[in-house]
């Protein structure tokens, strides 16, 4: 089992920044990929960004390229999502996820076996 706990969400004005963190524990050595997804009210959960457990490879949704940065702290077993120039449309619950593969389908939520409980990000206009 892998346990994921997100933190860092909150309320921010448009143009501001937030840094989310995901702390991983348990059998993390079985994981290859860590990712962030988000779900806005009334919408499907969507992929945001992914990173290999080593931190070498990253992949972003087109909608957040150049705005968000995913990173790994291998010593602390955490994954961070730095979000800059936030917009009201970034408002959502953000979820951390862990999976055992790094494939062409890394943006598909079905590739991930473990999920955190989510953290709310609200961007006011």
């Amino acid at each position: 089992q892998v346990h994921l706990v997100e933190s860092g969400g909150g309320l921010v004005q448009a143009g501001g920044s937030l840094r989310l963190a995901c702390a991983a524990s348990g059998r993390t050595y079985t994981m290859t990929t860590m990712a962030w997804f988000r779900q806005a009210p009334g919408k499907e959960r969507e992929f945001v960004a992914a990173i290999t457990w080593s931190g070498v490879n990253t992949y972003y949704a087109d909608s957040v390229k150049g705005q968000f940065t995913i990173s790994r702290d291998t010593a602390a077993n955490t994954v961070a999502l730095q979000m800059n120039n936030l917009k009201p449309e970034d408002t959502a619950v953000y979820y951390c996820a862990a999976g055992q593969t790094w494939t062409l389908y890394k943006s598909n939520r079905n590739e991930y076996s473990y999920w955190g409980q989510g953290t709310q990000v609200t961007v006011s206009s």
Side-chain angles (χ1 to χ4, degrees):
Q1 289 286 335
V2 174
H3 189 52
L4 304 173
V5 179
E6 301 98 334
S7 61
L11 173 64
V12 64
Q13 289 188 329
S17 298
L18 278 176
R19 185 176 180 86
L20 306 182
C22 174
S25 61
R27 301 179 66 185
T28 57
Y29 57 88
T30 64
M31 296 295 107
T32 299
T33 303
M34 300 292 293
W36 288 94
F37 285 73
R38 66 185 180 185
Q39 188 167 16
K43 293 189 176 181
E44 294 288 320
R45 191 172 299 189
E46 66 173 359
F47 171 79
V48 175
I51 189 167
T52 49
W53 191 247
S54 65
V56 172
N57 301 106
T58 58
Y59 181 70
Y60 294 92
D62 287 342
S63 58
V64 304
K65 280 181 183 176
Q67 183 190 0
F68 291 2
T69 303
I70 190 170
S71 60
R72 278 270 293 126
D73 183 336
T74 54
N77 254 6
T78 59
V79 176
L81 185 69
Q82 177 67 41
M83 306 185 294
N84 297 326
N85 190 26
L86 284 161
K87 308 165 190 174
E89 52 264 42
D90 294 316
T91 295
V93 177
Y94 283 72
Y95 296 91
C96 178
Q100 295 175 300
T101 61
W102 178 265
T103 71
L104 290 174
Y105 308 103
K106 63 182 79 62
S107 62
N108 188 325
R109 57 183 295 183
N110 294 328
E111 293 290 290
Y112 299 90
S113 305
Y114 299 99
W115 295 82
Q117 82 289 347
T119 185
Q120 176 70 48
V121 171
T122 303
V123 184
S124 63
S125 57

